[in-house]
Amino acid sequence: MRGRTAIAGAVVIAGGATVWARWLARRQHHWARTLADAIPVNSAFWREQGAKSGEVLYVAIGDSAAQGIGASRPSHSYVGFVVRRMRELTARRVRVANLAISGATIRIAIDKELPLLEALHPDVLTVCIGANDIASFEPERFDRDVRELFARLPHHAIVADLPSFYFLPGERKVRVANTLLRAAAVERGFTVVPLHDTTARQGLWGMTTQFAGDLFHPNDRGYRIWAEVFADAVAERLAEVDSRLAEVKSPSADSEPAGERTAAPDSGNSTPVRPDLANQA
């Protein structure tokens, strides 16, 4: 009798697990399509923002997280929250050039985002890239690419390490990648902000409340936490920029007026990289 009861219980558990797995797969598929539809909308929003003028230029290098995929609106990406905080800290007009491309790996950032960065002169630069490299992670390639990327960034770049993936085998790869990323950043003298430790501390609560329906991209709550990771470093850099601008009595004859700085070039997000729709950010 006990044996039959145990078997029946196991069947019920197995059946429940199967139903849950199917529901989860359908849910993720639905949200993947929903978030795919947001890619051109978010890209258009950031192009509009980049066309505006400002005295302080904030540039973001990144992937779909910088674009705000998973948020309720583009301005609720971590980039949007960083911009909002900058505008609270300075009386100067802040312009944002979000060069991020949904689905970008480090190699894509090098090939498509860096050429656009070279046409700009950012006062504040944040770099959050590499999560999309984890699916096909190769330590040697990751190290080579991240060093090539960092070699072409200004000295004041603020770099985030990769967020926690929570579960194996992804989390094991992320830890290796972050060791390589931090070492390369330290060699260049960059400020590295602890995105991984911060997201890891969110634990089960974070996994259940801080992600969009695809269970990969952050939602508004998640992106607020990401922005907080950058907050102190951005505030410190912004204070330096404000101090420098305050010392400038008048622009030189051949300098470009602060309010007429070149509009941010198009990062190509109108034709986004499609791997983002699977399990990449």
Side-chain angles (χ1 to χ4, degrees):
M1 184 66 178
R2 290 182 179 177
R4 291 180 180 178
T5 301
I7 293 173
V11 170
V12 170
I13 292 173
T18 300
V19 171
W20 180 83
R22 289 175 178 171
W23 172 83
L24 183 62
R26 288 197 299 269
R27 182 175 187 268
Q28 289 180 302
H29 179 68
H30 165 76
W31 274 97
R33 289 184 301 175
T34 299
L35 297 183
D37 292 340
I39 292 175
V41 175
N42 290 30
S43 298
F45 171 84
W46 291 115
R47 284 195 297 273
E48 292 173 3
Q49 296 303 305
K52 298 178 180 180
S53 63
E55 300 168 88
V56 175
L57 175 59
Y58 165 40
V59 176
I61 294 289
D63 49 37
S64 57
Q67 283 279 307
I69 302 303
S72 61
R73 62 193 68 180
S75 62
H76 285 186
S77 72
Y78 75 85
V79 171
F81 289 129
V82 167
V83 173
R84 184 178 303 178
R85 181 58 176 157
M86 289 176 65
R87 288 170 177 161
E88 292 173 352
L89 292 174
T90 180
R92 304 181 191 279
R93 289 173 296 168
V94 177
R95 182 165 69 87
V96 56
N98 190 344
L99 305 184
I101 299 174
S102 291
T105 59
I106 295 175
R107 173 49 52 186
I108 290 173
I110 292 170
D111 293 342
K112 296 187 176 182
E113 298 181 34
L114 284 188
L116 304 179
L117 175 65
E118 290 168 357
L120 302 169
H121 301 284
D123 297 299
V124 177
L125 172 66
T126 61
V127 181
C128 187
I129 190 78
N132 288 330
D133 292 84
I134 296 303
S136 57
F137 181 66
E138 296 177 7
E140 295 79 9
R141 182 182 64 192
F142 185 92
D143 188 50
R144 181 176 63 252
D145 287 351
V146 80
R147 288 178 181 277
E148 181 179 347
L149 173 67
F150 287 176
R152 294 170 61 183
L153 300 179
H155 72 279
H156 59 77
I158 301 169
V159 177
D161 56 11
L162 274 60
S164 174
F165 273 40
Y166 296 102
F167 301 110
L168 299 176
E171 180 65 4
R172 183 184 298 114
K173 295 177 183 178
V174 165
R175 291 181 182 276
V176 174
N178 277 338
T179 297
L180 298 172
L181 183 149
R182 293 188 198 103
V186 168
E187 289 180 13
R188 302 294 301 181
F190 297 149
T191 297
V192 180
V193 296
L195 182 58
H196 180 271
D197 287 352
T198 301
T199 51
R201 283 197 300 269
Q202 304 307 307
L204 182 61
W205 173 256
M207 287 187 285
T208 56
T209 65
Q210 296 168 12
F211 284 88
D214 67 343
L215 304 181
F216 187 75
H217 292 89
N219 58 19
D220 291 10
R221 292 190 190 93
Y223 282 131
R224 285 184 184 277
I225 290 171
W226 283 41
E228 283 300 315
V229 173
F230 285 100
D232 289 345
V234 168
E236 182 177 348
R237 173 59 187 168
L238 184 59
E240 294 174 0
V241 172
D242 267 337
S243 178
R244 184 197 67 204
L245 292 177
E247 293 174 358
V248 178
K249 303 299 182 182
S250 61
S252 60
D254 60 348
S255 65
E256 188 177 26
E260 300 176 10
R261 301 173 75 168
T262 305
D266 190 346
S267 65
N269 275 309
S270 57
T271 54
V273 180
R274 301 303 290 180
D276 182 76
L277 308 188
N279 62 345
Q280 302 182 20

